[in-house]
Amino acid sequence: MLYAINLIRFGFITGLISFFIWSLPGAAAAYALSRGVERIGDTLPGPVYALLSGLNAATVGIIALAAVQLSQKAITDKITRILVFFGGAAGVLYNALWYFPVLMVVGGCTTVIWDYRWGHKALAPVINLFKKRRPERDVEAERQAENQPDAVELRDASQTGGASSRSAHDSSGLRRVGQNVSRESIHQDADATGTNAAEAAAEMPVTDATDGNNGSGLATISWKIGFALTAIFFAVFITLMVLRGTLKSPPRLFEIFANLFLAGTIIFGGGPVVIPLLREYVVAQGWVSPRDFLLGLAITQAFPGPNFNFAVYLGSLSAATGNSATILGALLAYIGIFAPGLTLHTATMGVWGPLRRRSNKAVFSVLRGVNASAVGLVYTAVYRLWQTGYLTASATTVERRGVSDNGIPLGDEAWLVVITATAFVGGMWFKVPAPAAILLGAVMGLIWYGITLT
């Protein structure tokens, strides 16, 4: 978002400089952390395991809180509510490199079908049959609700956690397609891209001028440059994915860059959404152990800058297990995770105006579904981290491609459940910052060790 604001206000160079100032300190800290974790032995003292388990439990609570808050923004109607549930349930039941992108594509297609009412006539007999079997008072209540859309939308807005009645009403208008999409709903859908491109663009006047200043003090990018950047990006993306799928034994550094570039491309919903993707593209490959993944995830939450700097930590460790230069792994991971968002944001500055002027509701509809499905995947991250968050020296160890897979469910220890709940409640109702919640989790882990494990 910082890059977006400075790009609009001051131009590309200033935007890029501001992004580096914001992200590089945290990236350097993440790389330094990876070098330290790399030297940690397979077996640690008991208090260290208790501290790490406390960190992990608090991190799970924070991510669970993020999932709830993202859900409140993503759910605008019944279909998005279903898609959030669908994304979470499907992600828990199965894992594969191709699976998460497919779930998001299915979500986008589903909202298009829903919003444009394709197939509604074919299902009408089934729906009518169901309605006939319902009590008459329920049918009458639904008929009255349909005649009072404002009341329905206000009720839906209260269920989504305080969304404004105007946003909810405009979301209903999107389902009827014939109405205009509100600026609030555009912001919500644009935030799903992970680049915040549309959000920034929608707030500012857009012209067809070439790069420079449009007379209002705002930098602009022409639609030609926008489409050119988009074409170049997808050409690079397709090339990487083809090589990734056809090379039999690619170098580890190429695999790191390709996997992180893929994760950076399909991230929808911001920081927490990237966790299940990174876990699948790095841990499931056997490059980083779940223990080191959880340790880095917990500590990097307290670092300055974007949470995506966690990819730098993973890139360095992945390079180390592949006998490659760790600094190159960290650099390629940094570029891979951030380049897609920066490129697509800059390109969107040029193409957003034509899309908005033409009221291309299909674009907004797709983004709405993709965002809802992606938010569901955050619950997948909560489940996966919960299942491996309790670290002990006696935990079952499975060797997979030379990397130890340690960890048992947090639910096996009541103290860790309480730590998770404390982090969630502290952030939800007492506005405890994430770094403070993680530090508290570590302290509670040590207290748990002192009381029950000594």
Side-chain angles (χ1 to χ4, degrees), residues 216-449:
S216 64
L218 305 177
T220 59
I221 294 176
S222 71
W223 67 267
K224 294 180 181 180
I225 294 177
F227 278 112
L229 287 174
T230 303
I232 292 172
F233 168 79
F234 281 107
V236 173
F237 177 76
I238 292 172
T239 300
L240 284 174
M241 294 306 104
V242 170
L243 292 175
R244 179 175 175 269
T246 55
L247 293 177
K248 294 183 179 180
S249 298
R252 174 60 60 84
L253 292 177
F254 172 81
E255 289 184 298
I256 293 171
F257 179 72
N259 282 15
L260 271 296
F261 194 91
L262 175 59
T265 300
I266 63 178
I267 291 171
F268 280 76
V273 179
V274 78
I275 296 171
L277 299 177
L278 292 179
R279 193 179 190 283
E280 185 63 25
Y281 295 160
V282 176
V283 177
Q285 301 301 300
W287 301 344
V288 177
S289 70
R291 184 198 73 177
D292 293 345
F293 181 90
L294 291 168
L295 175 59
L297 177 62
I299 296 178
T300 54
Q301 297 294 313
F303 287 173
N307 288 333
F308 288 1
N309 278 332
F310 180 45
V312 174
Y313 168 87
L314 296 177
S316 174
L317 289 181
S318 299
T321 58
N323 297 319
S324 300
T326 57
I327 187 64
L328 291 180
L331 179 61
L332 289 174
Y334 178 85
I335 296 173
I337 200 70
F338 285 115
L342 295 175
T343 303
L344 290 176
H345 167 77
T346 307
T348 303
M349 286 286 295
V351 302
W352 184 253
L355 287 176
R356 187 177 61 177
R357 281 193 297 274
R358 295 175 185 177
S359 298
N360 195 335
K361 297 179 181 63
V363 175
F364 304 130
S365 183
V366 169
L367 292 177
R368 195 163 61 96
V370 171
N371 185 31
S373 299
V375 168
L377 294 178
V378 181
Y379 293 97
T380 299
V382 174
Y383 171 75
R384 301 291 178 195
L385 298 177
W386 175 274
Q387 289 297 100
T388 59
Y390 182 10
L391 303 177
T392 67
S394 59
T396 301
T397 300
V398 178
E399 290 294 333
R400 182 176 53 187
R401 300 187 192 179
V403 178
S404 297
D405 188 354
N406 292 359
I408 53 181
L410 293 172
D412 286 8
E413 173 53 55
W415 269 84
L416 299 180
V417 176
V418 171
I419 293 174
T420 302
T422 301
F424 181 91
V425 171
M428 186 72 174
W429 287 290
F430 298 97
K431 309 303 179 185
V432 177
I438 292 174
L439 180 60
L440 177 61
V443 173
M444 292 179 69
L446 292 176
I447 294 173
W448 161 53
Y449 178 83

Side-chain angles (χ1 to χ4, degrees), residues 171-189:
S171 175
S172 175
L174 178 59
R175 294 197 301 272
R176 293 191 292 270
V177 179
Q179 299 182 4
N180 292 327
V181 180
S182 72
R183 186 175 297 268
E184 285 91 338
S185 64
I186 291 174
H187 293 347
Q188 289 178 355
D189 295 333

Side-chain angles (χ1 to χ4, degrees), residues 64-247:
L65 173 61
V68 172
Q69 292 173 336
L70 288 171
S71 297
Q72 292 173 344
K73 295 180 181 179
I75 294 174
T76 57
D77 55 7
K78 290 181 179 179
I79 193 63
T80 48
R81 192 183 306 277
I82 293 171
L83 287 175
V84 169
F85 170 77
F86 166 75
V92 167
L93 294 175
Y94 184 72
N95 266 328
L97 291 177
W98 55 269
Y99 189 55
F100 293 156
V102 169
L103 290 179
M104 287 185 265
V105 170
V106 169
C109 294
T110 301
T111 44
V112 171
I113 294 172
W114 174 272
D115 291 341
Y116 284 85
R117 308 188 69 83
W118 294 339
H120 280 55
K121 291 183 179 180
L123 295 176
V126 178
I127 297 174
N128 291 334
L129 180 63
F130 172 73
K131 287 183 176 180
K132 289 179 181 178
R133 294 185 177 182
R134 294 167 59 191
E136 183 63 28
R137 62 179 180 272
D138 292 346
V139 177
E140 182 62 25
E142 182 177 292
R143 188 179 296 113
Q144 292 177 0
E146 290 177 352
N147 294 330
Q148 297 178 350
D150 290 340
V152 173
E153 293 303 334
L154 285 171
R155 183 181 63 191
D156 288 343
S158 65
Q159 293 174 351
T160 59
S164 70
S165 60
R166 178 185 172 189
S167 298
H169 181 72
D170 288 339
S171 175
S172 175
L174 178 59
R175 294 197 301 272
R176 293 191 292 270
V177 179
Q179 299 182 4
N180 292 327
V181 180
S182 72
R183 186 175 297 268
E184 285 91 338
S185 64
I186 291 174
H187 293 347
Q188 289 178 355
D189 295 333
D191 188 55
T193 62
T195 64
N196 294 319
E199 179 180 353
E203 292 177 355
M204 304 300 178
V206 180
T207 70
D208 287 330
T210 57
D211 296 5
N213 192 290
N214 62 8
S216 64
L218 305 177
T220 59
I221 294 176
S222 71
W223 67 267
K224 294 180 181 180
I225 294 177
F227 278 112
L229 287 174
T230 303
I232 292 172
F233 168 79
F234 281 107
V236 173
F237 177 76
I238 292 172
T239 300
L240 284 174
M241 294 306 104
V242 170
L243 292 175
R244 179 175 175 269
T246 55
L247 293 177

